[in-house]
């Protein structure tokens, strides 16, 4: 049976094919976002869907809350430390994986492994790894004499209590988040590297450019669009994600040492029952993140053109 | 030959996909639809910590349905997902007919039916309800029973007898001061610490309330006024910091709800605050540790007051959207209380009844008959006097100190009733933060108590404005 001629026209077919995506965006992204926006200006609670509009009351209440300010600081530390380290580490891994060596496939497979398991499951594995009693990491440190003896480098206690000390807990959530993000960042970088014409690199080599000159004057500028996109997605993803923090520390150790905005929004909105303030916390940085997205996308576009 | 996938094929399949997407809500709608001719009662509750309870309950619910010509569907979900699941159901206006929480879900009051008639009928049939249960299901300000509480769980102290014997206190601590003096002695001389959490998790929340009440202070008074900022709270915080410094390690700041159980089972805790489920796990996994675990009632504070938080309070709700099945739900819940002897037995005494005077049904009950047991109180006393689940060769009188636990067990919100503000303070870990700031040297006890009281006042004022807490 022939399709109607109407569908042969690009002006009809193209919008039609966009409909599923548009519907998806509208129903599963746009509608919840709109609800969150409305909720943040209301007094809605989990137990009472009927609500009144309260203006900017939730936002001013949230701004006066010391837990919010601490969570904001934690979110910045968590995001920018993770992203900075992911950039450096993914660069190193890319350099390694661009070379030929034995068992390269195995290394690639191991690097991709964090993406094969659900993140919550992987993080639960880390929960055991960092356990206050059974941590195998502590066991290794003890067996190497670095922990658990009066003169030991890391102290006389039998364990480091990774998730019980504010600094170590923050370091732990950052490391696990890096473990989660690194495969994607590395694969994007490898794809970017493969797109750089070999003759450009070879010409620089012939002209006597060393490794660092090639890296900073040729490779990185050419990779800028790819890096921009990686940074954009990783930053947005990290800023709005709570999985690692929630599974490992629930925002603790007290007093909210690793609480981030996303986990605070859940804590206030669902655990605390105040859906309106939870929505206000989650939307607080929407304008900043939206602006950031616009800037990075513009940067990427500009880099492609030049 | 491999068939080529044309643009037309794509359009056809995309059309089917789009149609499925459009039909999705209708399909979801059917999930909660009634089976024609036979009514369906849907129950949502947590996965019990003692698996044998759920195994029994699912069979019991099915049989109850057969007797009453009703399909009963029981959905067990993880404790962590219970609030978010019910919140979604409230927002959707569709879902289960009975939802059971294990803490007072008072913030859901506007979305659920008033169960005053059910509570009154239960009192008529089974006698007086424990105050800890009533205060966790009744709002004295709105005069509404937002829930029906059928049971609860005791939260005793669990101690390792051999360690305390060596320290010169064979029957374990009786006061918080004993915990400090002998706990420190055990840590210094035997290298085993105490395990009371100061973390952002459930057990720490309960432990810190228990400490405050035993030091004659609390977050709110009987009339829902915030009274946290007072010298007795400062005294309690200073005590906890000393207790932490002399008897514990920084791990207590990073604990999950399971951590104190794990520490006890690993033989590395001299005393923890937890229900008997920690001991039951030890009986199964490390019997040599279990045989050494004994129990204390609530410890006395400096002025002799001794209170402990209930460990679990079973509060069931009937949402407004399930009104058409409310009669079934109420009948089911009344019958559940009438069969509470089975809940006690199948949970291995983890569940205690909210109606101690309820009669024990006649006939074969699935457990060895207990002579002269006419009420749940008789059964409770007999089983707590001689634990039927003790291991061979193990002492059977270990639960004896918990026999009258209802005298010292109180609700979240004590001395007032549970309310949404207390719930939010519990859910957002305000108290663990208050203790931790001092333990980590970031604030003095006075400063930290003042900050926590300020946070509590803001939360109380917010819920007052919602009309769920009385005016000051």
């Amino acid at each position: 049976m022939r399709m109607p001629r109407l569908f042969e026209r690009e002006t009809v077919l193209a919008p039609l094919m966009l409909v599923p995506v548009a519907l998806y965006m509208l129903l599963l992204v746009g509608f919840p976002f709109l609800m969150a926006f409305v909720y943040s200006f209301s007094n809605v609670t989990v137990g009472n869907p009927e609500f009144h509009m309260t203006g900017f009351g939730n936002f001013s209440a949230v701004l006066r809350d010391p837990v919010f300010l601490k969570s904001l600081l934690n979110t910045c530390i968590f995001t920018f430390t993770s992203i900075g380290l992911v950039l450096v580490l993914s660069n190193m891994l890319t350099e390694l994986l661009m070379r030929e060596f034995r068992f390269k496939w195995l290394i690639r497979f191991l690097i991709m492994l964090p993406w094969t398991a659900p993140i919550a499951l992987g993080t639960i594995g880390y929960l055991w790894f960092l356990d206050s009693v059974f941590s195998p990491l502590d066991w290794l440190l003890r067996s190497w004499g670095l922990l658990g003896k009066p003169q030991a480098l890391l102290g006389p206690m039998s364990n480091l209590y990774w998730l019980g000390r504010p600094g170590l807990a923050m370091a732990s959530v950052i490391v696990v988040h890096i473990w989660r993000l690194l495969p994607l960042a590395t694969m994007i970088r490898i794809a970017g590297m493969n797109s750089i014409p070999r003759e450009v690199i070879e010409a620089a080599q012939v002209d006597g450019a060393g490794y660092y000159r090639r890296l900073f004057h040729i490779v990185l500028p050419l990779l800028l669009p790819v890096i921009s996109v990686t940074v954009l997605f990783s930053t947005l993803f990290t800023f709005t994600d709570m999985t690692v923090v929630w599974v490992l520390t629930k925002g603790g150790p007290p007093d909210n040492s690793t609480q981030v905005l996303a986990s605070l929004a859940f804590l206030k909105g669902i655990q605390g029952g105040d859906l309106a303030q939870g929505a206000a916390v989650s939307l607080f940085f929407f304008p900043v993140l939206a602006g950031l997205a616009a800037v990075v996308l513009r940067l990427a576009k500009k880099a492609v053109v030049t | 030959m491999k068939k080529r996938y044309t643009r037309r094929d794509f359009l056809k399949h995309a059309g089917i996909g789009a149609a499925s997407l459009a039909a999705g809500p209708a399909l979801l709608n059917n999930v909660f639809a009634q089976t024609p001719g036979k009514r369906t009662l849907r129950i949502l509750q947590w996965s019990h910590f003692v698996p044998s309870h759920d195994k029994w309950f699912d069979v019991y619910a099915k049989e109850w349905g057969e007797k009453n010509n009703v399909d009963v569907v029981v959905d067990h979900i993880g404790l962590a997902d219970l609030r978010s699941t019910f919140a979604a159901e409230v927002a959707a206006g569709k879902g289960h007919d009975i939802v059971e929480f294990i803490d007072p879900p008072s913030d859901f009051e506007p979305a659920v039916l008033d169960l005053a008639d059910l509570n009154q009928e239960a009192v008529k049939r089974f006698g007086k309800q424990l105050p800890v249960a009533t205060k966790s299901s009744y709002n004295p300000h709105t005069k509404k029973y937002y829930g029906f509480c059928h049971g609860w769980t005791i939260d005793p102290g669990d101690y390792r007898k051999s360690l305390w014997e060596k320290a010169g206190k064979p029957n374990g601590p009786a006061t918080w001061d004993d915990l400090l003096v002998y706990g420190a002695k055990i840590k210094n001389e035997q290298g085993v610490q105490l395990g009371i959490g100061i973390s952002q998790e459930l057990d720490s929340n309960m432990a810190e309330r228990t400490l405050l009440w035993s030091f004659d202070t609390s977050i709110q008074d009987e009339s829902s006024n915030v009274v946290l900022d007072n010298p007795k709270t400062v005294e309690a915080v200073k005590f906890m910091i000393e207790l932490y410094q002399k008897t514990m390690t920084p791990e207590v700041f990073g604990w999950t709800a399971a951590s104190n159980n794990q520490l006890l089972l690993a033989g590395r805790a001299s005393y923890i605050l937890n229900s008997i489920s920690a001991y039951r796990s030890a009986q199964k996994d490390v019997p040599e540790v279990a045989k050494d675990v004994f129990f204390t009632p609530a410890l006395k504070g400096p002025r002799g007051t001794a209170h402990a938080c209930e460990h679990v309070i079973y509060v069931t709700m009937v949402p407004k959207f399930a009104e058409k099945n409310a009669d079934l739900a109420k009948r089911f819940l009344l019958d559940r209380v009438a069969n509470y002897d089975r809940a006690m037995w199948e949970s291995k005494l983890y569940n205690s009844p909210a109606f101690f005077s309820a009669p024990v049904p006649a006939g074969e009950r699935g457990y060895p008959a207990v002579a002269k047991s006419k009420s749940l109180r008789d059964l409770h006393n007999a089983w707590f006097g001689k634990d039927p689940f003790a291991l061979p060769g193990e002492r059977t009188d270990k639960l004896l100190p918990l026999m009258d636990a209802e005298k010292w067990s109180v609700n979240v919100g004590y001395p007032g009733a549970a309310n949404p503000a207390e719930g939010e303070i519990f859910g957002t870990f305000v108290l663990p933060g208050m203790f931790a700031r001092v333990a980590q040297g970031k604030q003095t006890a006075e400063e930290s108590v003042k900050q926590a009281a300020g946070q509590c006042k803001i939360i109380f004022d917010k819920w007052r404005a919602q009309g769920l807490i009385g005016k000051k």
Side-chain angles (χ1 to χ4, degrees):
Chain A
M1 199 179 86
R2 274 190 67 79
M3 293 296 288
R5 282 207 159 271
L6 195 65
F7 292 125
E8 301 290 338
R9 277 199 243 153
E10 202 173 303
T11 49
V12 174
L13 189 63
L16 193 72
M17 292 182 81
L18 281 175
V19 165
V21 177
L23 265 179
Y24 169 81
M25 295 289 285
L26 200 69
L27 294 176
L28 297 180
V29 182
F31 183 66
F33 177 78
L34 185 70
M35 290 303 289
F37 189 78
V38 172
Y39 282 172
S40 67
F41 291 97
S42 75
N43 66 347
V44 68
T45 68
V46 285
N48 192 1
E50 291 168 17
F51 56 85
H52 304 289
M53 301 311 281
T54 55
F56 286 91
N58 289 318
F59 291 95
S60 58
V62 155
L63 273 175
R64 287 195 304 271
D65 185 354
V67 179
F68 172 79
L69 299 175
K70 189 163 192 179
S71 304
L72 177 61
L73 179 67
N74 287 340
T75 307
C76 292
I77 294 171
F78 178 59
T79 303
F80 297 121
T81 312
S82 307
I83 301 304
L85 287 170
V86 163
L87 275 177
V88 173
L89 292 172
S90 65
N91 189 48
M92 290 164 70
L93 267 176
T94 306
E95 287 292 327
L96 178 76
L97 293 173
M98 289 298 286
R99 288 155 206 255
E100 290 303 322
F101 57 91
R102 286 183 76 184
F103 302 115
K104 184 175 158 180
W105 63 269
L106 182 66
I107 302 293
R108 274 198 187 206
F109 170 74
L110 289 175
I111 288 166
M112 284 304 289
L113 212 53
W115 280 84
T116 60
I119 182 60
L121 208 61
T123 311
I124 288 169
Y126 273 97
L127 203 56
W128 165 71
F129 211 63
L130 303 168
D131 189 86
S132 57
V133 178
F134 304 107
S135 167
L137 207 57
D138 288 347
W139 177 79
L140 271 180
L141 292 170
R142 278 197 302 273
S143 64
W144 291 336
L146 296 171
L147 185 68
K149 289 177 183 167
Q151 304 302 323
L153 184 68
L154 297 171
M157 291 188 290
S158 62
N159 293 72
L160 274 181
Y161 310 122
W162 297 92
L163 304 177
R165 296 156 97 178
L168 280 179
M170 180 55 94
S172 301
V173 293
I174 288 173
V175 166
V176 177
H177 194 67
I178 289 171
W179 167 81
R180 177 192 189 185
L181 283 184
L182 198 55
L184 179 70
T186 306
M187 288 304 146
I188 292 175
R189 287 288 297 274
I190 288 174
M193 285 289 278
N194 283 332
S195 70
I196 297 176
R198 286 207 69 78
E199 52 268 31
V200 177
I201 308 283
E202 284 164 5
Q205 268 176 324
V206 170
D207 288 344
Y211 171 77
Y212 288 106
R213 185 170 282 266
R214 289 202 307 276
L215 178 69
F216 288 110
H217 288 93
I218 296 170
V219 175
L220 286 182
L222 286 171
L223 280 179
L224 191 61
V226 173
I227 292 173
S228 306
V229 172
T230 312
V231 169
L232 166 70
F233 281 114
S234 304
T235 306
L236 293 179
F237 181 72
T238 306
F239 222 94
T240 54
D241 186 62
M242 60 176 269
T243 315
V244 173
V245 166
W246 195 252
V247 175
L248 280 189
T249 64
K250 295 239 176 346
D255 179 29
N256 296 290
S257 302
T258 61
Q259 198 75 264
V260 290
L261 290 179
S263 56
L264 181 67
F266 179 75
L267 204 65
K268 273 194 170 293
I270 302 297
Q271 301 290 96
D274 189 347
L275 212 49
Q277 275 200 12
V281 170
S282 66
L283 282 182
F284 211 93
F285 267 76
F286 169 71
V288 178
L289 293 177
L292 178 72
V295 167
V296 178
L297 282 174
R298 196 175 170 81
L299 195 71
K301 192 178 170 190
K302 199 173 161 190
V304 170
V305 173
T306 52
Chain B
M1 200 174 89
K2 200 176 171 186
K3 195 190 166 203
R4 219 172 133 230
Y5 198 72
T6 64
R7 196 169 66 191
R8 284 191 191 107
D9 290 336
F10 173 78
L11 279 175
K12 195 168 92 186
H13 292 138
I16 293 167
S20 307
L21 197 69
L27 291 173
L28 281 176
N29 207 24
N30 281 337
V31 171
F32 289 110
Q34 295 280 353
T35 312
K38 200 173 184 188
R39 292 170 75 188
T40 303
L41 184 70
R42 290 188 166 80
I43 302 167
L44 178 68
Q45 60 189 48
W46 71 318
S47 298
H48 202 287
F49 282 151
V50 183
S52 57
H53 174 275
D54 283 355
K55 213 170 153 187
W56 158 76
F57 182 76
D58 291 353
V59 174
Y60 165 78
K62 195 169 172 247
E63 287 173 357
W64 184 91
E66 284 162 6
K67 275 184 208 157
N68 292 276
N69 192 31
V70 176
D71 281 330
V72 181
V73 179
V74 184
D75 293 320
H76 298 277
I77 60 172
L79 176 58
D81 298 324
L82 208 50
R83 277 187 70 81
S84 50
T85 303
F86 189 49
E89 292 188 357
V90 168
K94 270 195 177 71
H96 294 81
D97 303 304
I98 296 175
V99 182
E100 182 182 290
F101 283 87
I102 64 158
D103 54 358
S106 51
D107 52 335
F108 284 107
E109 184 182 323
V112 297
L113 295 178
D114 187 349
L115 299 180
D117 53 350
L118 171 63
N119 278 278
Q120 283 156 9
E121 181 61 28
V123 170
K124 213 164 100 186
R125 287 193 199 182
F126 309 119
K128 206 177 162 209
Q129 190 185 38
L130 288 182
V132 67
T134 312
K135 282 188 161 184
S136 301
S137 52
Y138 175 69
N139 184 340
H141 174 60
T142 58
K143 304 194 187 317
K144 177 173 174 176
Y145 277 97
Y146 54 83
F148 175 70
C149 178
H150 56 72
W152 62 296
T153 296
I154 302 164
D155 196 30
D158 313 27
Y159 71 99
R160 293 276 309 282
K161 195 172 185 63
S162 61
L163 303 173
W164 286 79
E165 259 170 359
K166 273 187 205 160
K169 198 79 181 163
N171 294 322
T175 65
W176 282 93
D177 197 51
D178 287 345
L179 208 56
L180 178 63
V181 174
Y182 293 94
K185 200 173 171 197
I186 291 170
K187 186 170 182 254
N188 294 335
E189 293 172 3
Q190 301 178 57
V192 182
Q193 66 183 80
L194 281 187
I196 298 177
I198 315 178
S199 183
Q200 302 198 170
E201 52 88 24
L202 286 174
D203 287 359
S204 300
N205 253 329
M206 292 183 230
E208 268 117 45
R209 277 160 179 77
T210 292
L211 177 72
L212 289 187
W213 292 322
S214 299
F215 273 67
D216 305 290
T217 180
S218 57
I219 294 172
Q220 66 168 0
D221 62 13
E222 278 179 86
S223 310
S224 310
N225 299 305
V226 177
V227 293
L228 186 64
D229 189 6
N230 70 68
K232 286 172 185 165
T233 309
V234 174
E235 183 189 9
V237 171
K238 284 180 178 168
F239 174 84
M240 188 64 175
I241 303 317
E242 195 183 353
L243 189 67
Y244 159 70
Q245 286 166 343
K246 290 186 174 167
T247 69
M248 293 185 266
T249 66
E251 72 182 277
V252 296
F253 296 114
W255 272 0
T256 65
S259 298
N260 57 9
N261 300 33
Q262 287 168 1
L263 203 70
L264 186 77
L265 264 62
R268 289 179 57 172
S270 62
Y271 178 98
I272 65 168
L273 275 174
N274 209 324
S275 68
I276 62 168
S277 63
Y279 162 62
R280 296 291 186 221
S281 303
Q283 283 181 311
K284 188 167 158 271
D285 298 330
V286 268
E288 67 280 8
V289 170
K291 286 177 181 172
D292 195 27
V293 172
F294 284 70
F295 300 96
T296 66
L299 302 179
K300 286 180 186 157
R303 288 161 287 277
T305 308
H307 287 308
C309 192
E310 40 73 14
H311 191 75
V312 158
I313 193 97
Y314 301 96
V315 184
T316 51
M317 301 175 122
V318 180
K320 280 180 179 169
F321 58 70
E323 193 167 8
K324 62 184 173 188
N325 275 344
D327 58 328
L328 275 185
K330 288 172 189 174
R331 209 186 322 153
F332 181 86
L333 291 170
L334 284 170
D335 286 348
R336 185 163 190 188
V337 176
N339 288 281
Y340 218 77
D341 57 329
R342 293 297 306 276
M344 293 157 70
W345 177 263
E346 299 297 343
S347 67
K348 297 181 178 172
L349 310 186
Y350 184 84
N351 282 34
S352 288
F355 297 90
F356 267 115
S357 308
V360 178
E364 165 58 38
R365 300 298 298 159
Y367 54 81
V370 179
K372 294 179 188 168
S373 282
K374 290 180 179 165
S375 67
L376 296 183
R377 165 56 75 189
D378 299 333
L379 267 187
H380 172 90
N381 287 356
W383 286 336
F384 274 66
K386 191 178 177 188
D387 183 5
F389 299 99
L391 295 171
E394 188 181 13
R395 273 177 62 172
T396 57
D397 61 348
K398 287 181 174 183
L399 302 179
L400 207 53
L402 315 183
M403 195 183 274
D404 62 351
E406 76 278 4
K407 289 181 183 162
W408 42 264
S409 297
V410 295
N411 58 291
V412 172
Y414 178 83
N419 62 45
E422 284 277 353
E424 183 173 339
I425 291 163
F426 194 95
T428 55
F429 310 115
V430 174
L431 288 193
M434 178 177 82
F435 285 97
R437 286 192 294 273
V438 184
Q440 292 159 357
K442 291 174 182 165
Q443 284 182 336
T444 64
E446 288 80 0
E447 288 166 349
S448 190
V449 169
K450 197 171 276 306
Q451 181 178 321
Q455 287 174 276
C456 293
K457 275 181 184 153
I458 290 170
I459 292 171
F460 265 78
D461 287 345
K462 190 173 64 184
W463 288 101
R464 269 197 188 95
Q466 293 273 351
L468 295 174
I469 303 177
K471 296 262 184 267
K472 280 187 228 181

